[in-house]
């Protein structure tokens, strides 16, 4: 039995067998398979070897005809190695004799080959070392690629353990079978975390070296309340967690009963609870959890889930599907927020030294007008099918907002000329997720119909903490006084100007922040769907007076730790049973 601590990002408890996914660009730890699995591992190896050979032959002939025989020779060397039985038998022997995974056998054998070559003098041999690494990546790519495909079609219920999951891996998970996620990397608002939350499955990230401590088939407990993963729990722990699971299911039933109740405070103030989605099929889950509509549709997931750029019609179909499912309720569609941590496999952008400060999101769209216009055409065409609103992400200056609006007007003109119907007065809003926009909010107000505060990014840019980096996750805090001050200023300014404002970061789904946010004047939230009932329970248990008192007290505190602990205490006192998740010790 071993226990590993990480960052809990989606609540709940799960017990199940592990399925471990290795990463192509990292050392592959030694993982033992059951004796009955050895032949299956050999078959996976043979499969990966023949796919690699076929791929190399294709590359060789393409290079020969396009560039010349000389350069194509590089592939002859790679093919020669793969067809050398002396080498490939080493893989097979290792799998059979040591009962390790095919990935580990390939990794260890190729590393040993590279070491041998490195000891030989001469430039040619040093170049060959790179070839060996290259070949190793190619075979591992096939082995791991198949493992990823298998995630979409799991034979049994499983807890997925990985170094990290790409958005497309997470999006492709077999949702009925995956009971929890546990990853070495990631932070509180990394996209694995957001998707796990949206799927309503427990998840812990930032577990550092969990993948090297777990073998596929091990029994795991994922306790996302306490932020721990237990590998091979003992009988006593299993019994305790089975009881917790039963309680968790009971609590979900109680919260589900709130779905049809209004979100109104004890003194009669209405609060709008909308939901965040990544895919149109999530609309039904959001409504089932009691959401009033969709306050953030992260449309970039249409790109992230596939290797190909979606066509205008594919955009249109997805948007109309969401609108129909909403049946007249609002849909706030955020335009593409690609780049930084949200990159698709098929999109090749030049590497940037600082991607979070780079050409991402609205900046990327403004530099790629065909990409942007394709989406805006689909948005406008779909706008006549329901209550659609459009929102631009990562706005950092008034000029940027004006530019985005101008492109929207250009697209409107094109559609009008073509006689395509669209809603001319479609509400246009912006996300406030960059400190420069928050600080200068008054200049934006006359130019937008609504605002949505994106705290996931606002926190990372205000405190200068990468939201996906597990090593500094303790510094990433929604309770940082500077973050709260920015939110308060934006809400006050918007309320005074009578411009609708909501908050759509993950912070809104943490019940301890709700009273503070109501106290500083927020009346609308967009949350990950499973968080809606718990937030509704808080709203229905408090008065605005109580919330304002809490907000005043928070204003006098100077550290995130004090603020967080104070908010948890108040919540525990006012809404017993609502406190979950992490505390800052
Ligand atoms: C945010 O930044 O708070 C947000 C809601 O957007 P995303 O998490 O997609 O960056
Ligand atoms: Mg954001």
């Amino acid at each position: 039995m071993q226990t590993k601590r990480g960052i809990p990002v989606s609540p709940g408890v799960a017990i199940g067998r592990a399925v471990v996914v290795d990463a192509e660009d990292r050392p592959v730890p030694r993982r033992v398979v059951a004796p009955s699995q050895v032949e299956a591992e050999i078959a996976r190896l043979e499969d990966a070897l023949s796919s690699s050979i076929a791929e190399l032959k294709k590359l060789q002939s393409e290079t020969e005809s396009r560039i010349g025989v000389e350069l194509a020779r590089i592939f002859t060397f790679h093919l020669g190695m793969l067809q050398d039985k002396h080498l490939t038998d080493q893989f097979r022997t290792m799998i059979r004799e040591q009962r390790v995974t095919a990935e580990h056998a390939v990794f260890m054998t190729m590393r040993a080959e590279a070491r041998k070559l490195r000891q030989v003098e001469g430039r040619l041999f040093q170049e060959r070392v790179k070839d060996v690494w290259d070949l190793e990546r190619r075979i591992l790519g096939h082995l791991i690629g198949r493992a990823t495909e298998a995630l979409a079609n799991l034979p049994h219920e499983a807890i997925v353990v990985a170094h990290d999951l790409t958005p497309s891996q997470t999006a492709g998970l077999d949702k009925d079978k995956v009971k929890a996620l546990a990853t070495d990397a990631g932070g509180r608002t990394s996209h694995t975390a957001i998707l796990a939350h949206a799927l309503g499955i427990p998840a812990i990230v930032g577990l550092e070296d969990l993948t090297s401590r777990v073998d596929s088939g091990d029994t795991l407990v994922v306790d996302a309340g306490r932020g721990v993963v237990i590998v091979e729990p003992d009988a006593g722990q299993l019994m305790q967690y089975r009881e917790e699971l039963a309680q968790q299911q009971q609590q979900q039933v109680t919260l589900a009963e709130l779905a049809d109740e209004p979100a109104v405070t004890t003194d009669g103030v209405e609060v709008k609870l909308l939901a965040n989605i990544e895919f149109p099929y999530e609309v039904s889950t959001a409504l089932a959890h009691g959401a009033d509509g969709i306050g953030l549709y992260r449309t970039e997931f249409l790109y992230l889930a596939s290797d190909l750029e979606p066509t205008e019609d594919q955009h249109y179909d997805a948007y109309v599907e969401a609108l129909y499912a909403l049946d007249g309720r609002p849909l706030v569609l955020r335009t593409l927020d690609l780049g930084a941590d949200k990159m698709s496999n098929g999109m090749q952008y030049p590497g940037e030294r600082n991607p979070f400060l780079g050409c991402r999101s609205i900046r990327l769209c403004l530099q790629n007008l065909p990409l942007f216009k394709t989406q805006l055409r689909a948005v406008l065409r779909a706008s006549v099918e329901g209550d659609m609103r459009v929102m631009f992400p990562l706005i950092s200056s008034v000029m940027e907002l004006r530019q985005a609006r101008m492109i929207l007007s250009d697209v409107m003109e094109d559609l009008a000329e073509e006689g395509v119907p669209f809603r001319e007065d479609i509400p246009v809003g912006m996300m406030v997720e960059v400190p420069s926009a928050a600080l200068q909010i008054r200049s934006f107000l006359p130019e937008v119909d609504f605002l949505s505060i994106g705290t996931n990014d606002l926190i990372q840019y205000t405190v200068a903490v990468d939201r996906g980096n597990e090593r500094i996750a303790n510094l990433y805090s929604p309770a940082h006084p500077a973050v709260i001050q920015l939110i308060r200023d934006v809400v006050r300014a918007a309320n005074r100007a009578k411009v609708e404002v909501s908050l759509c970061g993950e912070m809104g789904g943490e019940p301890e922040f709700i009273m503070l946010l109501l106290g500083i004047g927020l009346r609308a939230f967009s949350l990950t769907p499973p968080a809606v009932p718990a937030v509704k329970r808080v709203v229905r248990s408090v008065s605005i007076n109580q919330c304002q008192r809490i907000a005043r007290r928070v204003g006098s505190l100077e550290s995130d730790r004090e603020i967080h602990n104070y908010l948890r205490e108040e919540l525990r006192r006012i809404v017993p049973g609502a406190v979950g998740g992490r505390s800052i010790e």
Side-chain angles (χ1 to χ4, degrees):
M1 188 269 289
Q2 296 182 52
T3 301
K4 246 342 258 171
R5 191 167 282 279
I7 307 164
V9 292
S10 177
V13 166
I15 306 170
R17 275 193 286 155
V19 166
V20 187
V21 190
D22 286 304
E24 280 166 57
D25 54 349
R26 306 191 57 80
V28 181
R30 181 186 167 81
R31 245 188 275 292
V32 176
V33 299
S36 59
Q37 276 299 305
V38 168
E39 285 315 309
E41 281 307 295
I42 297 276
R44 290 181 64 229
L45 171 75
E46 302 300 351
D47 218 23
L49 291 178
S50 39
S51 302
S52 302
I53 290 173
E55 198 172 75
L56 283 166
K57 283 187 175 158
K58 188 161 170 262
L59 275 169
Q60 187 183 36
S61 76
E62 280 172 7
T63 314
E64 249 176 44
S65 59
R66 274 207 261 129
I67 310 175
V69 183
E70 213 35 55
L71 266 174
R73 266 207 198 113
I74 172 89
F75 299 115
T76 316
F77 173 72
H78 287 197
L79 275 166
M81 275 195 87
L82 276 189
Q83 285 159 340
D84 173 5
K85 254 181 94 49
H86 173 71
L87 176 76
T88 56
D89 275 349
Q90 291 183 56
F91 303 150
R92 296 181 187 98
T93 310
M94 198 167 171
I95 298 174
R96 286 222 163 85
E97 290 182 356
Q98 301 186 24
R99 281 206 285 119
V100 290
T101 59
E103 284 89 337
H104 184 67
V106 168
F107 175 76
M108 292 303 285
T109 310
M110 296 302 268
R111 291 289 148 125
E113 284 299 305
R115 260 197 312 277
K116 271 190 249 159
L117 281 170
R118 217 180 294 134
Q119 278 155 11
V120 185
E121 291 285 325
R123 207 170 65 84
L124 184 67
F125 287 101
Q126 300 313 309
E127 285 298 314
R128 288 289 184 247
V129 173
K130 286 192 205 138
D131 287 327
V132 171
W133 284 340
D134 201 16
L135 195 54
E136 172 201 292
R137 296 292 116 189
R138 185 175 303 283
I139 311 170
L140 285 180
H142 284 288
L143 284 167
I144 292 166
R146 300 275 150 82
T148 300
E149 279 166 32
L151 287 183
N153 231 328
L154 289 165
H156 54 75
E157 288 193 329
I159 291 176
V160 173
V161 177
H163 176 72
D164 198 4
L165 289 168
T166 62
S168 51
Q169 278 175 324
T170 320
L173 290 176
D174 183 342
K175 295 166 194 60
D176 299 328
K177 303 255 177 66
V178 177
K179 294 169 85 178
L181 294 180
T183 62
D184 293 345
R188 214 173 300 288
T189 61
S190 58
H191 285 87
T192 307
I194 287 174
L195 278 175
H197 216 163
L199 295 173
I201 51 177
I204 304 182
V205 302
L207 287 152
E208 293 170 345
D209 62 349
L210 183 71
T211 47
S212 59
R213 292 167 184 262
V214 178
D215 290 327
S216 287
D218 284 355
T219 299
L220 299 186
V221 168
V222 172
D223 175 352
R226 298 182 184 88
V228 292
V229 172
I230 305 173
V231 185
E232 295 292 341
D234 60 34
Q237 285 170 319
L238 270 178
M239 204 159 75
Q240 177 204 330
Y241 276 108
R242 288 206 178 105
E243 273 169 27
E244 284 204 22
L245 254 180
Q247 278 170 13
Q248 179 179 307
Q249 278 150 1
Q250 182 52 43
Q251 213 188 18
Q252 275 163 356
V253 172
T254 315
L255 282 174
E257 287 162 4
L258 280 178
D260 295 328
E261 300 294 329
V264 180
T265 59
T266 54
D267 48 353
V269 174
E270 266 180 50
V271 177
K272 219 184 271 172
L273 296 185
L274 303 156
N276 297 345
I277 58 164
E278 289 71 38
F279 299 100
Y281 64 75
E282 291 174 81
V283 170
S284 56
T285 324
L287 298 181
H289 280 98
D292 303 322
I294 301 302
L296 171 67
Y297 174 12
R298 293 183 164 102
T299 58
E300 58 281 357
F301 279 82
L302 195 60
Y303 279 75
L304 299 177
S306 130
D307 289 346
L308 300 173
E309 208 170 300
T311 61
E312 182 185 320
D313 282 342
Q314 281 166 335
H315 279 287
Y316 174 83
D317 290 346
Y319 305 161
V320 169
E321 183 187 335
L323 284 170
Y324 285 171
L326 280 163
D327 195 19
R329 298 178 188 88
L331 173 69
V332 177
L333 181 146
R334 174 176 76 185
T335 60
L336 296 171
D337 188 29
L338 289 165
D341 55 337
K342 292 183 232 164
M343 294 300 291
S344 89
N345 301 339
M347 297 177 90
Q348 294 299 326
Y349 292 108
E352 290 183 304
R353 261 195 304 255
N354 233 329
F356 275 107
L357 303 182
C359 185
R360 61 169 291 210
S361 192
I362 193 71
R363 304 168 184 180
L364 189 134
C365 286
L366 291 173
Q367 287 193 21
N368 292 275
L369 290 187
L371 171 99
F372 197 24
K373 285 187 168 180
T374 302
Q375 176 174 39
L376 293 178
R377 280 180 67 91
V379 171
L380 288 169
R381 279 173 53 206
S383 66
V384 291
E385 303 293 342
D387 183 357
M388 166 95 101
R389 305 155 191 206
V390 63
M391 172 163 82
F392 299 121
L394 209 84
I395 296 289
S396 61
S397 72
V398 176
M399 284 314 291
E400 209 165 33
L401 173 67
R402 287 187 190 151
Q403 255 178 300
R405 290 202 73 134
M406 204 139 67
I407 308 297
L408 184 69
S409 306
D410 288 350
V411 175
M412 285 184 175
E413 268 176 39
D414 293 345
L415 290 176
E417 267 172 35
E418 293 165 33
V420 178
F422 63 90
R423 190 174 157 198
E424 276 175 47
D425 60 349
I426 183 169
V428 178
M430 64 177 258
M431 290 192 68
V432 183
E433 48 183 350
V434 182
S436 60
L439 289 164
Q440 203 198 351
I441 198 66
R442 281 167 199 77
S443 310
F444 290 94
L445 289 169
E447 313 208 14
V448 285
D449 298 308
F450 65 92
L451 300 176
S452 187
I453 306 175
T455 48
N456 300 343
D457 277 312
L458 188 62
I459 297 166
Q460 81 164 343
Y461 293 128
T462 305
V463 193
V465 178
D466 176 348
R467 63 194 260 187
N469 184 338
E470 65 278 9
R471 291 174 61 194
I472 46 171
N474 61 325
L475 300 178
Y476 182 92
S477 172
H480 194 297
V483 173
I484 293 171
Q485 190 178 318
L486 285 179
I487 299 173
R488 179 186 283 127
D489 291 349
V490 171
V491 173
R492 274 199 192 141
N495 285 346
R496 225 172 270 147
K498 299 204 173 3
V499 170
E500 256 181 60
V501 56
S502 66
L503 182 144
C504 63
E506 297 299 297
M507 172 184 186
E510 295 188 36
E512 54 264 53
F513 290 109
I514 295 302
M515 292 189 290
L516 166 68
L517 296 169
L518 290 172
I520 63 182
L522 262 168
R523 297 291 178 264
F525 299 87
S526 191
L527 315 165
T528 178
V532 174
V535 169
K536 194 181 273 187
R537 174 163 66 175
V538 177
V539 170
R540 290 174 56 82
S541 312
V542 297
S543 72
I544 293 297
N545 252 338
Q546 273 175 313
C547 296
Q548 284 169 340
R549 179 185 59 74
I550 288 170
R552 274 197 300 276
R553 172 92 175 100
V554 166
S556 70
L557 301 176
E558 285 175 350
S559 79
D560 66 322
R561 187 178 300 216
E562 279 175 286
I563 294 175
H564 203 178
N565 291 342
Y566 167 68
L567 291 176
R568 286 173 69 87
E569 269 320 303
E570 285 296 292
L571 183 62
R572 192 169 284 133
R573 199 171 59 75
I574 300 171
V575 197
V579 179
R582 73 214 159 97
S583 65
I584 301 180
E585 278 111 30

